[in-house]
Amino acid sequence: MPFNQHRYSGLLSPIFYGIDLLVVNLFAYYLPINFQNPILFHSYISIAWIVLSIKNEFYKVYRYTKVVHILKLLFTQFVFFFLILYAYIGFFKQPNMSRLALAEYFVFTFIAVFAIKFLNYVLLMKYRGSVKGNIRNVVVVGKNKKTEQLINVFKERTEYGYQFIEQFTPKEAFFNIQDCFSSIIDKNIDEIYCSVSELKNNEINQFINFADNNLKTLKFIPDNKNIFSKKLKFEYYDYIPVLSLRDIPLHGTFNAVLKRAFDIIFALLVILGLLSWLTPLLAIIISIESKGTVFFRQKRNGIDNEEFYCYKFRSMAPNDDADSAMASKNDMRITKVGKFIRRTSIDELPQFYNVLFGNMSVVGPRPHMVKHTDEYANKVDKYMLRHFVKPGITGLAQVRGYRGEIEKDGDILNRVKFDIFYVENWSLFLDIKIIFQTIINAISGEEKAY
């Protein structure tokens, strides 16, 4: 079955995040503020800026964000930054610090960040409107006053970067929901906008399931009061209200950058501190017991269902079923050293190279073999939601007892349930908690670690 291969790029926000931090520190360096401890002051303002940015969601500016909202973000950010800036004098007892120079620093910083913020906003609008870059292909389901207004927004506000492709009318006699789904896939549609008043409950459920299983973004135009009983994300496109069914935390730029930074640091610690000396030792032991390579690689499905090679220490004798059959209890293919490294999860350690390369994350839904992904995608509802994020070396499902061989339907259903919960409720704290639980499980041993 076909899947959406589109990636949501978030490179610009981290770049401007870095530029703003550079501006904040450069003006502090060149202006005669007379602070006694340069390292302390630069650390203070950098941390303050980062914390305020997270709290105020300063870098959450979308393609449909209004100028008024950006002004509000700037005002909120700099009011608190001003208070924190002058609190430095009393908190760190800086009687010689120039208040006038500090005021000049604040004004110059505000002007520079203000200019950068609006330059970024204007250039992106021009890029989408004139160059036709960063475009999202969209379809609208429904034909009424609000859907026509939304279509006009897509067509007239080209700076938003939406390419209206097709409109489907459920009220017409020849409307077929399966033909609608086929068209969405064939035309590589990114986002689906549904008018709830024109869809039956079972049709809404079909759209939800279709979007989940095909990695499409589904949004509702709220012209039915019943939709407000759900916890949904409320947004405005010009003056047209739109509701998003699902908000993935890791689709946010800051969260994605934070998780990637954590992954790189953690992976480097494991590679340099553990794999650097453990790999040569295991290479000798594995080679003595059986002929074959030290590392085993296998194609698996990652983010956006893209295939990649997942690496492990080889724990089995070379065999023809390695890419199709999961390891089972008392599996004759597993070597003696293989039993030990599988029970302690040492065989998974080379996947930290996958993390460093960007194919995987330390924590996330475990990637499955390509054959099993194709099987479960057609068998298990919402299975493809797992592929909204990078797969992990460990995951929530694994620490809750659903690792290893899938013996019955309940195993995969519960694994997907925990994976979806992780995708929709990610936090760095949750990642750290899962890592600690994984280490405890590896030390104490797990029933299905074979």
Side-chain angles (χ1 to χ4, degrees), residues 290-312:
S290 64
K291 292 182 179 180
T293 59
V294 175
F295 295 101
F296 169 73
R297 72 173 192 171
Q298 187 179 67
K299 272 192 176 183
R300 300 202 176 187
N301 298 92
I303 188 171
D304 289 336
N305 201 43
E306 290 186 354
E307 294 180 6
F308 71 98
Y309 280 108
C310 179
Y311 291 92
K312 290 186 175 186

Side-chain angles (χ1 to χ4, degrees), residues 44 48-49 52-53 55-56 58 70-88 106-107 109-111 113-114:
Y44 178 83
W49 185 267
L52 285 175
S53 298
K55 183 66 177 175
N56 298 329
F58 187 64
I70 297 177
L71 290 173
K72 180 183 176 182
L73 289 175
L74 284 163
F75 176 80
T76 306
Q77 181 82 353
F78 276 94
V79 164
F80 285 102
F81 187 68
F82 177 85
L83 296 174
I84 291 174
L85 195 60
Y86 274 86
Y88 179 86
F106 175 81
V107 171
T109 303
F110 175 80
I111 294 172
V113 173
F114 182 94

Side-chain angles (χ1 to χ4, degrees), residues 227-440:
I227 196 68
F228 290 102
S229 63
K230 299 179 181 291
K231 184 181 178 182
L232 304 175
K233 185 178 178 183
F234 197 76
E235 303 164 332
Y236 274 98
Y237 289 21
D238 200 11
Y239 294 100
I240 308 301
V242 173
L243 292 177
S244 297
L245 177 67
R246 178 173 284 106
D247 188 25
I248 307 297
L250 284 172
H251 282 179
T253 300
F254 180 81
N255 288 340
V257 171
L258 180 64
K259 184 172 175 65
R260 182 60 183 149
F262 177 82
D263 283 343
I264 292 173
I265 293 170
F266 198 94
L268 286 174
L269 289 174
V270 173
I271 291 169
L272 297 176
L274 187 59
L275 285 174
S276 58
W277 60 267
L278 184 61
T279 300
L281 181 62
L282 279 177
I284 295 171
I285 298 173
I286 291 171
S287 299
I288 289 174
E289 184 175 6
S290 64
K291 292 182 179 180
T293 59
V294 175
F295 295 101
F296 169 73
R297 72 173 192 171
Q298 187 179 67
K299 272 192 176 183
R300 300 202 176 187
N301 298 92
I303 188 171
D304 289 336
N305 201 43
E306 290 186 354
E307 294 180 6
F308 71 98
Y309 280 108
C310 179
Y311 291 92
K312 290 186 175 186
F313 285 121
R314 183 171 61 84
S315 59
M316 294 182 178
N319 63 92
D320 296 332
D321 298 324
D323 291 326
S324 58
M326 287 185 178
S328 58
K329 196 170 185 177
N330 300 319
D331 198 317
M332 298 300 294
R333 298 174 297 169
I334 301 176
T335 61
K336 291 179 180 178
V337 68
K339 289 181 181 179
F340 172 75
I341 64 175
R342 291 178 75 91
R343 180 163 292 278
T344 56
S345 298
I346 291 174
D347 65 318
E348 309 282 358
L349 291 178
Q351 288 165 37
F352 282 100
Y353 289 107
N354 284 113
V355 174
L356 202 60
F357 299 153
N359 306 128
M360 294 179 67
S361 181
V362 176
V363 181
R366 282 294 294 163
H368 291 157
M369 288 182 280
V370 174
K371 175 187 175 183
H372 293 154
T373 297
D374 294 338
E375 176 186 344
Y376 296 137
N378 292 298
K379 182 179 180 182
V380 181
D381 192 33
K382 302 185 190 301
Y383 175 84
M384 288 308 298
L385 265 176
R386 305 168 75 255
H387 299 87
F388 267 129
V389 300
K390 288 181 183 178
I393 298 175
T394 185
L396 182 60
Q398 281 62 46
V399 299
R400 291 302 181 92
Y402 296 100
R403 64 162 289 177
E405 184 184 13
I406 296 172
E407 300 175 297
K408 53 185 184 295
D409 289 343
D411 291 338
I412 186 62
L413 292 174
N414 283 306
R415 183 178 293 187
V416 170
K417 179 183 72 175
F418 282 113
D419 287 340
I420 291 175
F421 178 89
Y422 175 82
V423 169
E424 295 181 341
N425 297 275
W426 175 88
S427 70
L428 187 60
F429 175 77
L430 179 59
D431 274 6
I432 294 171
K433 182 179 178 181
I434 291 171
I435 290 170
F436 274 110
Q437 188 62 56
T438 301
I439 295 171
I440 293 171

Side-chain angles (χ1 to χ4, degrees), residues 154-211:
F154 289 147
K155 291 179 177 179
E156 296 172 7
R157 303 298 296 270
T158 55
E159 69 273 18
Y160 284 179
Y162 291 102
Q163 179 68 44
F164 172 70
I165 302 298
E166 192 172 1
Q167 182 179 22
F168 301 99
T169 309
K171 291 181 179 179
E172 292 180 352
F174 57 83
F175 174 78
N176 185 295
I177 198 166
Q178 295 302 324
D179 290 342
C180 178
F181 293 162
S182 298
S183 180
I184 289 170
I185 292 172
D186 293 340
K187 295 178 181 178
N188 197 27
I189 300 302
D190 299 306
E191 298 182 6
I192 307 164
Y193 293 81
C194 291
S195 174
V196 182
S197 65
E198 296 194 28
L199 293 172
K200 300 174 184 176
N201 287 337
N202 69 315
E203 290 176 331
I204 292 174
N205 288 330
Q206 287 184 64
F207 268 101
I208 292 171
N209 294 334
F210 170 79

